[in-house]
């Protein structure tokens, strides 16, 4: 009896099944400093609406370098708002949102128009 070759031998990728090794796991929303942390955080700052998509953020920290008064890492290494975020200039917030390499930060003006990314 001839031995059967694996599927990837013929240029096909091996089959992957759904299971704990293949699913991306996230911790459930939890309380941090008496506030609920969800997958999307949004805050009004200097006429802008800044939105952080926590599922997209991978923790590069470019936004923290651009506006350290506005953003910080949480316990999971994901960016979140600082309490001093209201003191940051509008232009620096837009720059901080624009430098995110995975577009996890978005900035909207007073009319709801998306400025970046």
């Amino acid at each position: 009896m001839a031995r059967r070759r694996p599927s990837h031998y013929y240029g096909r990728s091996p089959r992957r099944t759904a299971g704990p090794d293949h699913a991306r796991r996230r911790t459930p929303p939890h309380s941090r400093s008496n506030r609920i942390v969800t997958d999307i955080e949004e805050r009004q700052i200097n006429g802008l609406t800044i939105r952080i998509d926590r599922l997209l953020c991978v923790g590069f920290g470019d936004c923290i370098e651009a506006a350290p008064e506005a953003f910080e890492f949480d316990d999971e290494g994901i960016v979140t708002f600082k309490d001093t975020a209201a003191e940051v200039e509008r232009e620096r917030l837009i720059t901080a949102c624009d430098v995110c390499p995975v577009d996890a930060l978005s900035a909207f003006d007073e009319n709801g128009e998306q400025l970046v990314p």
Side-chain angles (χ1 to χ4, degrees):
M1 180 184 276
R3 209 169 148 197
R4 186 173 176 154
R5 298 182 190 268
S7 63
H8 63 275
Y9 180 84
Y10 298 105
R12 289 181 250 150
S13 60
R15 182 183 299 177
R16 296 191 177 179
T17 59
D21 295 334
H22 303 288
R24 181 176 178 194
R25 295 196 178 268
R26 296 288 302 192
T27 56
H30 60 281
S31 177
R32 179 179 174 271
S33 304
N34 294 330
R35 83 185 161 191
I36 301 295
V37 178
T38 61
D39 293 338
I40 301 288
E41 283 189 65
E42 195 171 275
R43 192 176 285 186
Q44 300 280 338
I45 306 170
N46 292 332
L48 295 173
T49 301
I50 306 297
R51 184 178 298 158
I52 301 173
D53 186 333
R54 295 179 50 81
L55 291 177
L56 287 178
C57 179
V58 293
F60 282 112
D62 295 350
C63 56
I64 295 174
E65 289 178 19
E69 301 88 358
F71 305 106
E72 65 183 353
F73 287 122
D74 66 4
D75 298 337
E76 297 177 5
I78 304 296
V79 170
T80 188
F81 291 106
K82 274 188 169 180
D83 293 332
T84 58
E87 302 167 6
V88 181
E89 300 86 26
R90 183 180 171 105
E91 292 76 25
R92 287 185 54 218
L93 285 170
I94 293 171
T95 300
C97 293
D98 197 33
V99 298
C100 179
V102 294
D103 296 337
L105 289 133
S106 304
F108 300 87
D109 67 8
E110 297 87 354
N111 301 323
E113 300 277 333
Q114 187 168 351
L115 302 174
V116 290

